Amino acid sequence: MGSKPVTPIIDSDMDSIYVLPLSIIPIETKALQRARMIKNHQLRSVVEVFAEKETGSGQLEVEDLPKLFGWVRPDDEEDDDPEGRKPHPDLATLRQLALLPTYDVFSLRILLRRLGISVRDNVALKLTPEKNLELAEYMTQFTRPLILQVYGDSDVSIHDFDDIVRLFRDPDVKKAKEKLRVMAQKLSIDMMEIPQFLEDYGDIFLSLSYYRQCLDRIQPLLDNFLDSLESLRRNWQLKNDQSLMQTCTMMETRLNELAAAVTGRFENFDRSTAEMWSNISAIRFQRVKELIQSYHTEIGGVLCALTVKMNAWVRQFPGEVDSAPVRRAEFIMTQMRQGFDRVKTFENAAPMLSQLR
């Protein structure tokens, strides 16, 4: 029975998969510009106006904001306004943001554009330098094939993706140009197109690195929770509670399905990437890029839900998996099982390799 201590997954707001800092959205209401939209442990999107270790999290439902901020008169019914007025623009925006399945930057790029919601002019939807550094090891498996394809294994000066990018600033112009010419020839593109290719290549595989790290960080928390379910099943005081036992089985099945779905998606991406490298070209890379991007929001949504749920669990029960069984059972029934109906699974069984040909 795995009872190794686990801790919640914590990231900065811009690196988080379940936090959207409203400071990056052009919200008019000043008090909300300092707030965050988060997924709470019931997987509902709420506006968090404060979060302190001592006082907890101050959460507001989106539909409670109009009266709080004076966007409507108390006797107005927004959905049946006799004067036909539109809702406050901040309310309209927050309602849309609340429906998003995940708040990771890669999904936000797609989802905000789809909704027609802009970000503030000085904001880029990018991970922080600290997170990029964390993901360096994950990126190696994606950048190494590019290095080997273009330079082979004899060039000791090229070790990672940043080394390729630094070619553009190489003081030895002749040497740099020759390497870039080889790269352009391999990719069947013009040398002038290489900077855009490198930017696209780095970003799409950074997104996969981000999601893979998310899954790796969730796994110990998930194992802890599943071990707790098994402990509850064996508990003499609780094992005859049919409703609890059914809920434990439902949650175990659902969580394993979600984790397996994401893992399977990564395996399919690996096959697609290997297929791309068998006959690399800019066109084939573009197809892989589009294939991966088409699943960003689904992968992000599942990983967001798993992160939020497992974080809620280990914050509440950081100790041994068989401690406080009655409290654990109560938390499962009142909190943990809520919201799983909001998590959508992948519609297609697998990305089709035929799309790459």
Side-chain angles (χ1 to χ4, degrees):
M1 184 68 63
S3 58
K4 186 177 179 181
V6 290
T7 56
I9 297 168
I10 301 174
D11 285 308
S12 71
D13 287 356
M14 286 304 295
D15 296 334
S16 177
I17 199 168
Y18 62 89
V19 175
L20 172 60
L22 293 179
S23 59
I24 73 172
I25 304 294
I27 295 288
E28 296 178 8
T29 307
K30 289 189 182 302
L32 290 176
Q33 292 171 7
R34 299 185 296 273
R36 316 187 305 175
M37 180 163 277
I38 67 168
K39 296 288 184 183
N40 67 14
H41 58 258
Q42 293 184 342
L43 300 183
R44 295 200 322 275
S45 295
V46 295
V47 174
E48 185 180 65
V49 292
F50 67 82
E52 301 292 343
K53 194 170 185 179
E54 297 76 17
T55 56
S57 173
Q59 301 178 8
L60 300 171
E61 298 287 346
V62 171
E63 296 306 322
D64 291 338
L65 298 177
K67 292 180 181 178
L68 183 64
F69 290 108
W71 294 343
V72 294
R73 294 194 309 272
D75 57 343
D76 280 340
E77 290 293 336
E78 287 181 78
D79 295 331
D80 188 24
D81 192 332
E83 298 179 20
R85 291 174 300 181
K86 293 182 179 179
H88 189 282
D90 285 353
L91 178 59
T93 298
L94 292 169
R95 281 173 169 170
Q96 290 180 302
L97 296 176
L99 296 176
L100 302 186
T102 173
Y103 296 134
D104 68 89
V105 296
F106 302 102
S107 296
L108 284 176
R109 294 177 192 174
I110 298 168
L111 295 168
L112 293 181
R113 184 170 60 247
R114 193 178 294 167
L115 293 173
I117 297 175
S118 60
V119 294
R120 294 193 181 276
D121 292 340
N122 62 340
V123 171
L125 289 173
K126 292 184 177 180
L127 300 175
T128 64
E130 293 77 14
K131 175 59 73 172
N132 282 325
L133 193 60
E134 280 183 31
L135 298 177
E137 185 176 343
Y138 289 85
M139 280 291 286
T140 300
Q141 63 181 301
F142 298 119
T143 57
R144 193 63 190 160
L146 173 61
I147 294 167
L148 292 176
Q149 278 281 336
V150 177
Y151 304 111
D153 54 11
S154 60
D155 194 327
V156 295
S157 66
I158 303 297
H159 299 289
D160 57 30
F161 188 72
D162 287 339
D163 286 336
I164 300 176
V165 176
R166 277 192 287 272
L167 282 174
F168 294 97
R169 298 187 294 272
D170 196 320
D172 187 343
V173 177
K174 184 176 180 181
K175 174 184 171 186
K177 281 188 174 179
E178 176 57 25
K179 289 184 176 180
L180 296 174
R181 185 192 65 76
V182 171
M183 179 186 288
Q185 188 175 30
K186 283 270 188 179
L187 295 169
S188 303
I189 60 176
D190 189 90
M191 278 182 61
M192 298 299 290
E193 298 176 78
I194 289 179
Q196 184 61 52
F197 172 80
L198 289 177
E199 183 178 337
D200 290 347
Y201 186 94
D203 193 67
I204 196 62
F205 288 113
L206 182 65
S207 71
L208 273 189
S209 298
Y210 173 85
Y211 293 130
R212 280 187 167 169
Q213 187 205 42
C214 285
L215 183 60
D216 286 350
R217 294 164 85 193
I218 290 167
Q219 194 61 55
L221 282 67
L222 181 60
D223 290 343
N224 178 280
F225 179 70
L226 295 176
D227 286 346
S228 292
L229 295 183
E230 182 59 29
S231 178
L232 291 179
R233 288 195 186 96
R234 299 196 316 270
N235 183 275
W236 66 271
Q237 189 178 1
L238 299 170
K239 63 183 180 181
N240 293 323
D241 184 334
Q242 292 302 310
S243 179
L244 174 63
M245 294 300 105
Q246 289 173 3
T247 298
C248 288
T249 299
M250 178 276 291
M251 292 202 66
E252 180 180 47
T253 301
R254 186 72 170 131
L255 288 167
N256 281 328
E257 285 175 351
L258 291 172
V262 176
T263 301
R265 187 66 61 220
F266 287 146
E267 291 171 353
N268 287 316
F269 289 150
D270 285 342
R271 286 194 290 270
S272 300
T273 303
E275 180 79 2
M276 175 187 78
W277 283 115
S278 68
N279 185 19
I280 184 63
S281 71
I283 292 175
R284 289 170 71 81
F285 166 71
Q286 184 64 27
R287 289 174 181 164
V288 168
K289 175 187 171 185
E290 292 170 356
L291 188 66
I292 293 172
Q293 284 180 329
S294 69
Y295 288 98
H296 271 175
T297 59
E298 286 87 350
I299 291 175
V302 171
L303 291 174
C304 176
L306 290 174
T307 300
V308 168
K309 284 294 185 183
M310 295 305 103
N311 266 0
W313 179 257
V314 300
R315 283 194 179 105
Q316 193 74 17
F317 303 105
E320 299 289 329
V321 297
D322 53 359
S323 66
V326 175
R327 281 204 308 116
R328 287 174 185 257
E330 181 182 2
F331 192 73
I332 286 172
M333 296 300 287
T334 60
Q335 304 296 330
M336 290 296 288
R337 69 174 179 174
Q338 307 299 323
F340 274 98
D341 56 327
R342 297 185 178 95
V343 186
K344 295 181 180 179
T345 52
F346 304 117
E347 293 182 7
N348 300 319
M352 297 299 292
L353 290 179
S354 60
Q355 296 180 41
L356 307 180
R357 297 187 172 89

